[in-house]
Amino acid sequence: MSFPKVNPTNTKAWEQLTAHYSETQHLKMQDQFVEDPDRAHRYAIRWNDFYIDYSKNRINDTTLSLLLALADEVGLKEAIEAQFNGEHINETEDRAVGHTALRDFAHLKPEVADTLKKIKGFTDSVIEGKWKGYTGKSIETIVNIGIGGSDLGPDMVCEALKYYQNHLEVRFVSNVDGDHTQEQLKGLNPETTLFIIVSKTFTTQETLTNANTIRDWFLKSASEEDIAQHFVAVSTNLEAVSNFGIAPQNIFPMWDWVGGRFSLWSAVGLSIACSVGYAHFESLLRGAHEMDLHFRNTAFENNIPVVLALISVWYNNFHNAESECIVPYSQYLNKLVAYLQQGIMESNGKSVDRNGDPIDYQTGTIVWGSTGTNAQHAFFQLIHQGTKLIPTDFVGFSKALHGNQDHQNKLMANMIAQTEALLQGTHGTEVENTFKVFEGNKPTNTLLIDTLTPKSLGSLIAMYEHKLFVQGVVWNIYSYDQWGVELGKKLAKGTLQAIESEDISHMNNASTQNLLKRLS
Ligand code: F6P
């Protein structure tokens, strides 16, 4: 089986969707709800402890069947199988895409099983206080040094699972901004701190700069031999890691078939396992695997990532929506959007198709958002009354972790009221003046999950991973490479040389030269 390479705009379904859009663009969801009393039930998916309500979208049965026909015509089923079967679907890097294999406990590759064992042994000994620092004290703080996929996932999950966190404090150093590094080092005791250097390539400027600065900081109090008790690394580049001085037993492998932005399930998630313990880390992986099974085995019309992806394509390519908003109603998820921005935008920000041809239709959605209810007091005005169409995902949990029922009732009341206001607007009611008119008819999905647990979080993250993959398949792009970040990295090297040598003569752009002059 091979990975399909179908231009979606040449399909019959695309042509029909274009005509369907012209016919239905003026329909109001408010009227659709009146006409079909069963709409809320028909456009919902129940799965495990998830309830996905997608009824508040500008769709009808024809829209859905045409979108499903599009999925068939672009070969979505074959593409999903190609990914799960380990084919080299990341063709531009000639790699398989295997993050789902990291959480398939019934079929773990030996190297994955060994690494999980190593993660368990290591985290147990750190958490139980058996892993000692160079003065014989137990570890109290974990510092993850990494950037992009080697930072955002672990940081987001540690924050999301704070309720389950043990006594260890976890910090993240990512930016090459030295002020950030110094702030993260503030108050740290080298005797009780363990540093995890995470870099798939071990060539990333930010991570290596931070790792070297932090090693120098550590060596002000300790000696070279003490590094073994305080620095571990996660990487595919074993040689570079050992050149850095990390003891071989302190190296956790990862593999080129795991993309950075999909790597929190591997040893990249070591800080997560330290923070919440191995058992919770495994639950996170198992939750993701359950979503993998749902995605792989469920008919497309009831398949959560597929339905959400196709509805998003409908807005992106037919309604010309420029962006999508995600609003989790849980402060624990306050780093989810930044994490998903890398996953979604690094994957689908492409303008060349899988045949190598330039694309003349819209691809990657712009994703943004932040937590509710805070967001209601910030950017919601624009979603309600602005001129742009912004489909929004609301993500909430039926039960609060700490109880606090009064807060929980208010939190959920706000979430559900927002989706109602966005749908209904002031439609059919008297309004004093035009400034107070809410058009309504604004699309939303509501993802109501029972409780925020490691397992449900794993499923949620995997849901968005699969959603972005489906969209990449439809758009006929390679979602698993990221060549677009390379040029900036390359130019930064030359620019750094110019700054360090105070010689800007080889910088040929006048604006760049002027900016560099102003640095001194
Ligand atoms: O610059 C983008 C990127 O390559 C991401 O895809 C990746 O997650 C990040 O840099 C970090 O890379 P590494 O883990 O190799 O340091």
Side-chain angles (χ1 to χ4, degrees):
M1 208 181 298
S2 70
F3 205 57
K5 294 179 179 171
V6 179
N7 179 336
T9 63
N10 292 340
T11 61
K12 188 153 176 272
W14 193 278
E15 195 187 318
Q16 290 174 320
L17 279 162
T18 308
H20 177 66
Y21 171 71
S22 309
E23 286 155 17
T24 57
Q25 59 177 310
H26 301 299
L27 291 184
K28 295 239 174 279
M29 286 190 278
Q30 295 96 318
D31 299 330
Q32 292 177 314
F33 269 96
V34 175
E35 284 154 21
D36 177 4
D38 209 25
R39 183 177 171 90
H41 289 111
R42 292 195 312 110
Y43 294 164
I45 302 175
R46 290 158 204 81
W47 174 81
N48 283 0
D49 52 356
F50 280 49
Y51 183 77
I52 316 289
D53 178 348
Y54 61 94
S55 63
K56 293 183 177 115
N57 278 296
R58 295 183 185 181
I59 53 170
N60 60 22
D61 290 353
T62 309
T63 327
L64 284 172
S65 65
L66 291 176
L67 288 168
L68 291 165
L70 175 65
D72 287 340
E73 278 192 77
V74 298
L76 179 60
K77 188 71 200 153
E78 293 88 323
I80 294 172
E81 284 310 303
Q83 171 167 318
F84 278 94
N85 288 332
E87 287 178 35
H88 282 208
I89 64 165
N90 176 1
E91 280 184 29
T92 63
E93 295 179 328
D94 192 17
R95 288 173 181 170
V97 176
H99 50 279
T100 55
L102 298 169
R103 51 210 193 198
D104 183 357
F105 283 86
H107 308 97
L108 284 182
K109 295 172 193 266
E111 64 268 38
V112 175
D114 287 351
T115 305
L116 284 171
K117 230 190 218 168
K118 188 168 165 138
I119 294 174
K120 182 175 181 337
F122 173 78
T123 51
D124 284 352
S125 103
V126 172
I127 294 165
E128 289 162 16
K130 292 181 187 149
W131 183 289
K132 301 291 183 197
Y134 68 97
T135 57
K137 292 184 183 160
S138 300
I139 298 302
E140 289 169 4
T141 311
I142 305 286
V143 179
N144 187 91
I145 308 168
I147 197 163
S150 299
D151 163 72
L152 289 162
D155 191 8
M156 180 275 284
V157 174
C158 285
E159 179 78 12
L161 298 182
K162 246 185 176 158
Y163 178 78
Y164 304 90
Q165 194 182 341
N166 53 38
H167 63 284
L168 296 170
E169 185 199 354
V170 188
R171 297 188 189 186
F172 290 84
V173 179
S174 50
N175 201 325
V176 76
D177 175 359
D179 291 340
H180 165 65
T181 314
Q182 286 312 316
E183 288 300 331
Q184 295 303 77
L185 286 174
K186 257 190 196 165
L188 279 188
N189 178 355
E191 295 171 70
T192 56
T193 303
L194 188 98
F195 297 97
I196 308 176
I197 309 173
V198 186
S199 178
K200 180 174 166 183
T201 55
F202 224 78
T203 57
T204 304
Q205 184 194 53
E206 291 92 332
T207 303
L208 293 188
T209 306
N210 278 322
N212 281 312
T213 301
I214 289 171
R215 186 174 61 175
D216 292 347
W217 171 88
F218 177 76
L219 290 177
K220 281 189 196 144
S221 332
S223 67
E224 292 273 350
E225 300 82 72
D226 301 327
I227 286 182
Q229 283 137 279
H230 291 268
F231 285 80
V232 303
V234 183
S235 186
T236 55
N237 188 348
L238 305 186
E239 199 186 328
V241 177
S242 67
N243 290 344
F244 183 88
I246 306 267
Q249 71 276 14
N250 290 351
I251 304 175
F252 292 77
M254 67 182 289
W255 306 278
D256 70 1
W257 43 267
V258 179
R261 53 192 175 275
F262 305 94
S263 64
L264 70 87
W265 323 100
S266 70
V268 169
L270 197 56
S271 54
I272 303 170
C274 285
S275 168
V276 296
Y278 178 80
H280 285 319
F281 181 64
E282 192 174 309
S283 297
L284 179 84
L285 271 57
R286 287 188 185 275
H289 178 62
E290 286 191 15
M291 182 55 78
D292 297 341
L293 293 177
H294 165 81
F295 176 55
R296 190 174 183 184
N297 300 328
T298 308
F300 287 165
E301 62 267 30
N302 296 315
N303 191 314
I304 301 167
V306 173
V307 169
L308 294 182
L310 293 175
I311 291 175
S312 170
V313 167
W314 174 235
Y315 293 123
N316 188 59
N317 296 91
F318 298 92
H319 283 267
N320 296 322
E322 288 145 6
S323 74
E324 242 166 56
C325 188
I326 300 176
V327 187
Y329 275 67
S330 163
Q331 203 52 33
Y332 286 120
L333 295 189
N334 77 77
K335 294 184 173 171
L336 179 69
V337 176
Y339 166 75
L340 291 176
Q341 281 178 324
Q342 187 202 13
I344 297 168
M345 291 160 76
E346 195 166 86
S347 299
N348 287 341
K350 311 284 164 65
S351 49
V352 171
D353 73 13
R354 288 198 290 267
N355 298 304
D357 296 326
I359 283 174
D360 61 359
Y361 48 88
Q362 288 294 319
T363 62
T365 40
I366 299 166
V367 182
W368 59 285
S370 78
T371 52
T373 59
N374 300 25
Q376 294 173 203
H377 301 272
F379 55 74
F380 265 50
Q381 164 68 34
L382 189 142
I383 303 182
H384 282 289
Q385 285 191 318
T387 52
K388 295 180 170 57
L389 177 67
I390 304 171
T392 303
D393 281 358
F394 288 78
V395 182
F397 299 90
S398 315
K399 296 189 191 75
L401 291 172
H402 287 280
N404 291 340
Q405 201 54 41
D406 172 48
H407 285 254
Q408 174 67 6
N409 291 346
K410 288 172 181 161
L411 184 68
M412 287 299 100
N414 270 283
M415 181 179 88
I416 294 168
Q418 285 298 326
T419 69
E420 169 77 8
L422 287 163
L423 164 77
Q424 205 55 40
T426 46
H427 187 76
T429 58
E430 287 281 311
V431 180
E432 291 160 49
N433 62 52
T434 50
F435 300 108
K436 297 191 176 174
V437 170
F438 285 65
E439 252 182 53
N441 202 30
K442 312 280 192 219
T444 61
N445 294 304
T446 307
L447 283 68
L448 195 56
I449 304 166
D450 192 52
T451 322
L452 175 55
T453 61
K455 187 162 169 262
S456 64
L457 180 67
S459 300
L460 179 68
I461 300 168
M463 180 196 87
Y464 278 112
E465 285 179 347
H466 296 315
K467 177 185 169 188
L468 76 85
F469 170 63
V470 172
Q471 292 185 287
V473 173
V474 171
W475 292 323
N476 196 26
I477 54 176
Y478 287 116
S479 295
Y480 294 117
D481 62 21
Q482 58 287 318
W483 297 108
V485 296
E486 292 308 317
L487 182 61
K489 288 185 193 172
K490 199 170 124 196
L491 293 190
K493 280 190 192 149
T495 312
L496 177 62
Q497 247 170 30
I499 293 173
E500 285 175 347
S501 63
E502 294 180 26
D503 173 11
I504 58 168
S505 57
H506 62 288
M507 309 300 296
N508 56 19
N509 178 278
S511 159
T512 306
Q513 284 193 350
N514 281 341
L515 290 169
L516 287 171
K517 275 186 213 155
R518 298 188 73 85
L519 292 181
S520 48

